[in-house]
Amino acid sequence: MTVRGRRGTLAGSVVLLTTAVAAVAVLVTGLFAWRMIRTNAEAQERDELARRAEVLARTPPLASWILNRQQRIAGPEDIRLALVGPSGEVTGPAAAAVDGDSREALLAGRDVSAGARLDGHGVLVEGAPTPNGGGLVLTQPLSAVDQATDRMRGALVLPLVLGLAGAGLSGALLARRLARPLVSAARTAHRLSEGERGLTVPAQGPTEVAELAGALNTLDAALARSENRQRDFLMSVSHEIRTPLTTARGYAEALADSVITGDEVPAAGRILRTEMERLERFVGDLLALARLEADDFRLDITEVDLDALVATAATAWSARCARHDVDFRVERPGHPLTVTTDGFRVRQLLDGLAENALRVTPAGRPLVLALHPDGSGARIDIRDGGPGLTDEDAAVAFERGVLTERYRGVRAVGSGLGLAIAHRLTARLGGTITAHGRAPEGGACFTVRLPPSPDPDMAAPGPGDPYTPRTQR
């Protein structure tokens, strides 16, 4: 099989997809975290600065000593201090960062959290009221927030990279888990297409992949059964054709070599005609079966009075059964029973089933053609007084040639295609056909159920030969 164009593997596609999804997730997470880190860093610096301001605000009011020793008390030199007196006077290195709103808030006993500029640089401003009615303010340059932000962002890079690498590794493992059983299934499918049978695909991987393996195993078994049936059928066909051909050839050679002469010639001619008719019927059955399985099989759908149709069929079959000393009986409503179907095909179906029943019915035994209403449709029974069928026979009655091979030399058999044709023709008409081993008359019973009108989309696979008929008008 030639594959056009260059196609990537499933494993590569899964790895690429998972890596791409992980990359997008990492990118979105990184962008969000990148922005949030700045906010979090500032909040942490403010919290720390506010705690220091609150602690210092509770210290006894030693303002001059605090101002002279702010390096020792307030902390690092980048943190500056300002005092707001009870009168509103602001003193200290950070006095320029205390605006009117902050001063009023501290005098009112409220904490202060704001931003300002000090010596041309942005600073954080945190203040707390003092017990004597004033307040204490600490400032810290925003560069401290920048440094904390850089530290946090630096620590974020490694987890993001590890997450991306982990996603790629997970994708590779997932791809391997998916691809290995799929590759195995594909190889098995190719081997099946090349004619190998008896193959088994291990049911590994996820549920869907295991179901694919199970489907291939089922397909392998179905192909083996179908090919065995086809082989058996071809052997049956060759046997059925060989017998009349051998007989005809023998008589033809005898006539050509003047072995048969005089009064023997008419009898030889009759034998040749009988064998040719037998061969013709068999070939006709094969052609009929082929036409039934063709997509363009045509049905002429009209309203059909089945009571009248059965009456006409009964007239013809009564005469045929009389010639074989078979007791023919008909059961019908005696009033119109109308369904929408193809009357010609229904008659063809009845004739085929009656022919099959007459073949196995001994002289003096009954053959019954019965028509009954069945809901809004109809039921047709063909019952005979022959040897009947076992349960095993009924289960395979519509498979091509099975009963013929089973009873060859035991009872009268046909080409092995008649019941298969009846099954497919019934399906084409949108109905069902069933076989029963024992009828009240002692033999077999075949029951055909026809709907009031056929379903144009009905699919009715035959045994071992699935197909989907299409009804045409």
Side-chain angles (χ1 to χ4, degrees):
M1 181 177 62
T2 302
V3 180
R4 297 182 178 180
R6 184 177 180 84
R7 300 181 180 179
T9 62
L10 174 63
S13 298
V14 171
V15 173
L16 181 62
L17 179 61
T18 53
T19 304
V21 170
V24 172
V26 166
L27 179 61
V28 173
T29 303
L31 290 175
F32 181 76
W34 201 265
R35 296 177 63 87
M36 291 301 297
I37 282 174
R38 171 75 185 187
T39 303
N40 291 338
E42 182 176 339
Q44 291 179 6
E45 293 297 326
R46 283 189 178 277
D47 288 344
E48 180 64 23
L49 192 63
R51 284 195 295 270
R52 291 185 180 184
E54 185 177 358
V55 171
L56 291 176
R58 296 173 184 174
T59 305
L62 303 175
S64 59
W65 186 80
I66 292 175
L67 293 176
N68 292 333
R69 293 168 175 78
Q70 65 175 1
Q71 178 77 16
R72 186 180 303 171
I73 297 176
E77 59 182 356
D78 57 350
I79 297 179
R80 299 186 182 184
L81 180 146
L83 288 175
V84 178
S87 62
E89 179 185 3
V90 182
T91 59
V98 181
D99 58 13
D101 293 339
S102 299
R103 184 173 64 251
E104 293 297 329
L106 291 172
L107 292 176
R110 299 192 304 271
D111 292 335
V112 171
S113 180
R117 297 192 66 82
L118 186 62
D119 298 335
H121 300 286
V123 294
L124 302 176
V125 177
E126 295 292 330
T130 56
N132 62 0
L136 183 142
V137 175
L138 293 181
T139 65
Q140 183 177 16
L142 289 175
S143 59
V145 176
D146 295 336
Q147 293 173 4
T149 300
D150 292 340
R151 289 194 302 271
M152 292 181 182
R153 287 175 175 173
L156 178 66
V157 173
L158 180 60
L160 292 178
V161 173
L162 291 177
L164 184 60
L169 179 61
S170 300
L173 295 176
L174 176 61
R176 183 179 181 184
R177 178 174 171 79
L178 288 175
R180 289 183 64 182
L182 288 178
V183 170
S184 176
R187 290 173 179 168
T188 301
H190 286 302
R191 293 171 64 185
L192 288 175
S193 68
E194 293 170 357
E196 291 189 53
R197 298 294 179 262
L199 306 177
T200 301
V201 183
Q204 300 175 346
T207 302
E208 292 79 2
V209 179
E211 289 180 356
L212 173 61
L216 283 175
N217 293 333
T218 303
L219 175 62
D220 179 31
L223 288 174
R225 287 195 302 271
S226 177
E227 290 174 354
N228 288 335
R229 287 173 176 170
Q230 291 178 9
R231 190 180 301 109
D232 294 341
F233 176 69
L234 289 176
M235 292 177 63
S236 175
V237 168
S238 64
H239 176 80
E240 292 291 337
I241 292 178
R242 186 185 300 114
T243 300
L245 284 178
T246 301
T247 302
R249 180 177 179 178
Y251 276 92
E253 290 177 350
L255 288 171
D257 295 338
S258 299
V259 175
I260 298 177
T261 59
D263 295 339
E264 297 177 342
V265 172
R270 286 192 295 270
I271 293 174
L272 281 173
R273 183 179 63 188
T274 300
E275 294 302 319
M276 291 299 101
E277 288 175 350
R278 178 182 173 188
L279 183 60
E280 184 181 12
R281 284 195 303 269
F282 186 76
V283 173
D285 285 346
L286 286 175
L287 293 175
L289 188 61
R291 284 194 294 269
L292 282 168
E293 294 180 350
D295 286 341
D296 59 352
F297 182 79
R298 182 178 181 82
L299 291 177
D300 294 321
I301 303 298
T302 59
E303 289 190 353
V304 178
D305 180 5
L306 293 181
D307 184 74
L309 185 146
V310 168
T312 303
T315 301
W317 281 99
S318 178
R320 287 196 60 179
C321 289
R323 290 196 298 269
H324 292 81
D325 197 21
V326 170
D327 180 16
F328 180 78
R329 304 171 189 171
V330 62
E331 300 173 1
R332 59 190 184 90
H335 57 78
L337 178 55
T338 303
V339 297
T340 303
T341 187
D342 186 329
F344 176 80
R345 298 300 180 183
V346 173
R347 176 62 188 273
Q348 179 184 355
L349 175 61
L350 296 184
D351 289 344
L353 292 174
E355 178 75 31
N356 183 74
L358 180 59
R359 185 183 302 112
V360 297
T361 303
R365 300 294 297 168
L367 190 157
V368 180
L369 171 59
L371 171 66
H372 302 283
D374 186 42
S376 56
R379 187 185 88 242
I380 302 173
D381 294 330
I382 306 292
R383 308 193 300 267
D384 63 68
L389 300 173
T390 65
D391 292 340
E392 292 78 9
D393 294 338
V396 297
F398 302 108
E399 296 187 27
R400 294 177 297 190
V402 174
L403 295 184
T404 297
E405 287 299 314
R406 184 172 296 179
Y407 290 105
R408 189 186 303 278
V410 178
R411 64 176 70 161
V413 294
S415 65
L417 301 177
L419 291 178
I421 292 173
H423 185 275
R424 284 153 180 75
L425 184 53
T426 305
R428 289 291 194 176
L429 294 171
T432 60
I433 182 172
T434 54
H436 306 281
R438 291 295 173 185
E441 290 74 18
C445 174
F446 291 89
T447 299
V448 175
R449 285 183 167 85
L450 296 175
S453 60
D455 182 359
D457 297 322
M458 181 177 180
D465 298 285
Y467 67 97
T468 303
R470 298 178 178 85
T471 302
Q472 299 181 0
R473 294 183 181 270

